[in-house]
Amino acid sequence: MTIREELEKLEHEQLDKRAAFADETKGRLHPEEAKVEDVRTAYQRDTDKIVHSKAFRRLMHKTQVFLSPEGDHYRTRMTHTLEVARIARTIAKALDLNEDLAEAVAMGHDLGHTPFGHAGEVALSEAMGQPFRHNEQSLRVVDVLENGGEGLNLTYEVRMGILGHTGPRIPETMEGQIVRWADRMAYVNHDIDDAIRAGILQNSDIPKFVLKTLGATHSARINTLVCDMITASREAGAITLSGHVEKALQELREFMFERVYRNPVAKGEETKAKEMLKRLYDYYYRNPQALPSDFQPQMSLEGMERTVCDYIAGMTDNYAVDKYTEIFIPSGWNVRG
């Protein structure tokens, strides 16, 4: 018996019967034989594929909420992803579910995010005349765009977890559902830290019901949410929060939309960012020869709109600014050059 087979056997011996077992995956888009010497299960391999991808590395330079923040401690898509993964693994472990699947989904859930956060999604939606949804783009990244157009060939469970981390589709696996909750737990709490750091929020501004129910500090709130989900899910036999804790989380989320996500200080540069990306989209649409060589074959297969959208969606914030400067700013005025 190989090490991988031993790990798969341990899953069946130790995990809840409702867990997603690695040796029972619904498979990959393209058959992929596990090598005898491979010590990893299918979901462990998926995590490694994601972590070693170009799209994952770009997350460190993509905005979470604040555009071009001054300071080293603001969250990026990378730090957000790592926080979601830790929360998801903690909950999955306590519920005897598959930690490796939860981690893989968490690591891949935001790969499709645009530069400049929500502003980028709006810009591409307007440019294409149809909604751009980052969860759908994340699935597209792992299915099509990575690895020179061959994709990462992930398992069905990881792919559907990525797609279902937001939006109307709920993941089939309990591990995927955990990531869906962990994503929300992470961002509403760490965005409080960044808002306080930016001077647009004080901890005392948080609604009293939220403070009383979840806690007065970041760590206390995360701990309350995680512990409550473990307890409530054990009792319900499904992934859930208790009623009053879920109500507090929803109230906190609504508060954050009102005071932070739509705040002029946090979003003060969004109009500029949107116009920048829309101009870049229009430029590459009219000048397809300016696209990188690895995007050229895609044009004949999927059309100009989709190809340009994929290219811009994959940009980091700084890369988008650099390309805009290179194309539209006269060289004598280019202070970044």
Side-chain angles (χ1 to χ4, degrees):
M1 183 180 291
T2 66
I3 293 176
R4 173 181 54 78
E5 290 170 336
E6 290 177 4
L7 293 175
E8 292 169 346
K9 182 173 180 289
L10 280 174
E11 286 186 354
H12 285 278
E13 293 174 352
Q14 298 176 353
L15 300 184
D16 188 281
K17 63 181 180 181
R18 294 164 297 181
F21 298 104
D23 62 350
E24 294 180 358
T25 173
K26 292 185 178 180
R28 305 179 185 275
L29 290 175
H30 311 289
E32 188 175 291
E33 290 293 327
K35 298 177 180 178
V36 174
E37 66 272 18
D38 198 340
V39 300
R40 302 165 298 171
T41 67
Y43 301 142
Q44 290 174 333
R45 290 170 63 202
D46 281 0
T47 295
D48 289 344
K49 288 183 178 190
I50 292 168
V51 169
H52 288 93
S53 70
K54 293 178 181 177
F56 185 81
R57 292 196 293 275
R58 290 196 297 269
L59 292 177
M60 73 176 72
H61 299 299
K62 290 199 176 192
T63 293
Q64 180 66 21
V65 173
F66 294 87
L67 306 188
S68 300
E70 294 183 4
D72 294 333
H73 301 125
Y74 286 86
R75 264 70 171 197
T76 65
R77 292 291 171 192
M78 173 73 81
T79 56
H80 165 71
T81 293
L82 297 177
E83 290 183 37
V84 172
R86 291 308 309 157
I87 292 171
R89 282 198 70 116
T90 298
I91 296 171
K93 184 178 182 66
L95 294 176
D96 294 326
L97 298 174
N98 199 317
E99 294 178 67
D100 295 328
L101 173 56
E103 181 177 43
V105 173
M107 289 299 193
H109 82 282
D110 268 357
L111 294 179
H113 255 296
T114 62
F116 308 120
H118 179 67
E121 291 195 43
V122 174
L124 289 180
S125 295
E126 293 177 356
M128 296 187 69
Q130 61 186 35
F132 177 97
R133 300 181 178 92
H134 78 268
N135 59 317
E136 296 174 357
Q137 187 69 12
S138 294
L139 181 62
R140 181 171 171 77
V141 167
V142 300
D143 278 358
V144 178
L145 300 180
E146 270 293 324
N147 196 24
E150 296 183 5
L152 299 179
N153 198 31
L154 304 181
T155 57
Y156 173 88
E157 294 78 10
V158 173
R159 294 173 56 247
M160 293 303 101
I162 289 172
L163 180 63
H165 83 271
T166 189
R169 183 187 180 112
I170 307 298
E172 301 164 29
T173 66
M174 297 178 81
E175 293 85 356
Q177 294 166 32
I178 288 172
V179 173
R180 186 180 173 97
W181 280 104
D183 180 39
R184 182 171 296 187
M185 292 178 189
Y187 75 70
V188 296
N189 280 289
H190 63 50
D191 291 348
I192 292 174
D193 288 350
D194 287 354
I196 291 174
R197 187 172 289 111
I200 65 174
L201 197 67
Q202 294 182 1
N203 206 59
S204 57
D205 294 330
I206 300 171
K208 289 183 173 55
F209 173 68
V210 173
L211 290 173
K212 181 179 179 181
T213 305
L214 301 184
T217 66
H218 176 273
S219 60
R221 287 187 289 269
I222 293 294
N223 186 66
T224 297
L225 289 163
V226 168
C227 291
D228 184 82
M229 173 154 285
I230 292 167
T231 301
S233 298
R234 282 177 172 175
E235 293 175 353
I239 304 304
T240 189
L241 288 170
S242 63
H244 72 291
V245 170
E246 182 176 357
K247 180 182 177 182
L249 178 60
Q250 182 60 29
E251 184 173 332
L252 178 57
R253 186 170 180 268
E254 291 171 359
F255 167 79
M256 291 296 289
F257 269 95
E258 177 185 347
R259 293 291 301 273
V260 177
Y261 302 141
R262 299 190 183 104
N263 186 288
V265 175
K267 299 302 175 185
E269 300 294 296
E270 275 203 352
T271 299
K272 297 177 185 177
K274 285 166 57 180
E275 289 305 311
M276 183 188 305
L277 294 185
K278 288 168 72 174
R279 287 194 69 184
L280 284 173
Y281 181 97
D282 184 65
Y283 173 81
Y284 286 111
Y285 186 87
R286 297 174 183 275
N287 300 274
Q289 72 281 357
L291 287 168
S293 58
D294 51 338
F295 281 86
Q296 297 294 333
Q298 184 182 337
M299 286 187 287
S300 59
L301 297 174
E302 299 189 90
M304 185 61 64
E305 287 187 355
R306 184 71 256 175
T307 304
V308 174
C309 176
D310 287 339
Y311 178 48
I312 292 177
M315 291 180 173
T316 63
D317 296 24
N318 287 339
Y319 185 78
V321 171
D322 288 343
K323 297 309 291 186
Y324 183 88
T325 300
E326 175 187 313
I327 294 167
F328 296 110
I329 306 299
S331 57
W333 299 346
N334 181 3
V335 297
R336 293 172 66 93

